[in-house]
Amino acid sequence: MAKIQKIKGVADLFPEDSARYAFMEETARDVFSAYGYGELRVPILEKTELFCRSIGEETDVVQKEMYTFPDRKGRSLTMRPEATAGVVRAYVENKIFQPGKVSKYFTFGPMFRYERPQAGRMRQFHQIDAEIFGAAEPQADAEVLLMLSSFLSKIGLEKLSFELNSLGCPECRPQYNQALKDFLNSLDREQLCDDCQRRMDTNPLRVLDCKNKNCKALTEKAPTIPDHLCGECRDHFDTVITLIDEAGLKYTLNPRLVRGLDYYQRTAFEVTSGDIGAQTAVAGGGRYDGLVESLGGPKKVPGIGFACGMERLAMLLEGDYEPKTDFYVALVDDRAAKEALIFGEELRRKGLKGEIGFTAKSMKAQLRHANKINAAKCFIFGADEFENGTVTIKDMTESGEQETVTRSEYFK
RNA sequence: GUGGGUGUAGCUCAGUUGGUAGAGCACUUGGUUGUGGCCCAAGUGGCCGGGGGUUCAAGUCCCCUCACUCACCCCA
């Protein structure tokens, strides 16, 4: 029979890899709960319309990258390409909102985007996500940034750079967009790269973070969003900056930082690393004060949050995250198989973790395996132990000290 | 969607102008008549990604295809 292969862009994570993901999830639970967040598990499948309305009909994610299909009754469903939309949907649907109430949630799990895989980019990828509803104050922006920073340093990543910008609000952004368009139209269109010529029409903001040197030079004097913020947005952004300065967070202001999803406004941020290939963003987020309303919730419920890309973070984690084991029960003589099994069960009842050899192998092979699984102790069952009702306990550190005791004595 | 690279042992890879396969690591066993990590030796293990073609002969040359991978694009 022919082998069945996994589909493109998904991964099987065996213990040595999945241990990193478990480590990140456990750390996120610890850190986020210290800030008052609770876990919210939301579905992977949602109605397609949810993502069209939140992410934006014109975005690449919605237009080209979603796993969308009809279910058996012809309803259009989509496997979530990001987490925020589903969290907001759950928040609105369950009527969590009340005036003045602040709600904080985190969630993690698989997301799906139909893209060509490359380093740090999978079709099924995983995010750790955190969101706050009901807090319009800049203190919330600052705390979210500090919590993200705290999480990243807890998993051992200190060399990441934070980039920060404000995208303005529905009041001031249209003015900026016009100013940007005017500027771009004043340029010699032919000198921009092909992509930027297209972006001028589809998404002018994107022209600003083109990597092409020529385009960078041409747009060097382009108007930036922070220069066109309205008074309220300006004040908000200034306060956020003051707060995180006071708290000691290191960051750089990037007036050209934009987000790929349409729902962001005001504070937007990205955490990047230069060590994971062409993809540099390991986390990103921002404020989305209009999203709750646009998904059918009440007006003026603010929101802010971020997502971390677990595949990309995993690439940066160093070292071994597999748990150590306490013991290995070595079976050197088949006659002792039953005793070895029972003995191992007894060890586990004492709360120890370890493995038992199922088939008798040479002493050499058994000890090598004990060594390999990093067992602290090896309990040997061979011919002597079988005949005498004993067990030989060998220390697996360098000393290799050992003693032989009767099995009934060992557990006293 | 567009480009580039790579597919040979479980893993990392050699394979010379075409003559039906090698190394290291890993694994098993032995040296050590029951004691690991070092060392030594032997052994197990390959439709050389798949299909077609050229040839007396193809891992090697040509075509097609599949998979993986990196980059563009886009994003976490």
Side-chain angles (χ1 to χ4, degrees), chain A residues 327-349 354-361 366 378-383 385-387 389-392 407 410-411:
Chain A
F327 68 85
Y328 179 69
V329 176
L331 184 59
V332 185
D333 188 308
D334 266 326
R335 290 175 298 172
K338 185 181 76 181
E339 286 78 3
L341 183 71
I342 302 294
F343 191 82
E345 283 297 286
E346 195 64 37
L347 290 171
R348 289 171 184 139
R349 268 195 283 278
E355 287 184 41
I356 303 168
F358 294 140
T359 58
K361 287 182 183 171
Q366 296 280 21
C378 188
F379 296 90
I380 300 168
F381 284 79
E385 287 79 8
F386 172 71
E387 279 153 21
T390 59
V391 57
T392 297
R407 296 198 284 277
Y410 181 77
F411 289 109

Side-chain angles (χ1 to χ4, degrees), chain A residues 118-121 211 272-281 312 315:
Chain A
Q118 70 187 70
R121 192 172 80 182
K211 289 164 190 161
T272 59
S273 165
D275 299 324
I276 53 173
Q279 312 297 323
T280 58
R312 295 179 187 180
M315 291 168 81

Side-chain angles (χ1 to χ4, degrees), chain A residues 248-269:
Chain A
L249 182 70
K250 296 259 168 51
Y251 63 92
T252 54
L253 291 176
N254 179 356
R256 299 189 165 209
L257 177 72
V258 295
R259 305 268 66 219
L261 312 181
D262 281 355
Y263 52 66
Y264 287 109
Q265 46 180 283
R266 289 199 170 170
T267 312
F269 53 89

Side-chain angles (χ1 to χ4, degrees), chain A residues 15 19 320-326 353 373-374:
Chain A
D320 184 9
Y321 291 88
E322 279 191 273
K324 303 262 185 280
T325 54
D326 299 310
K353 295 173 183 173
I373 67 169
N374 245 313

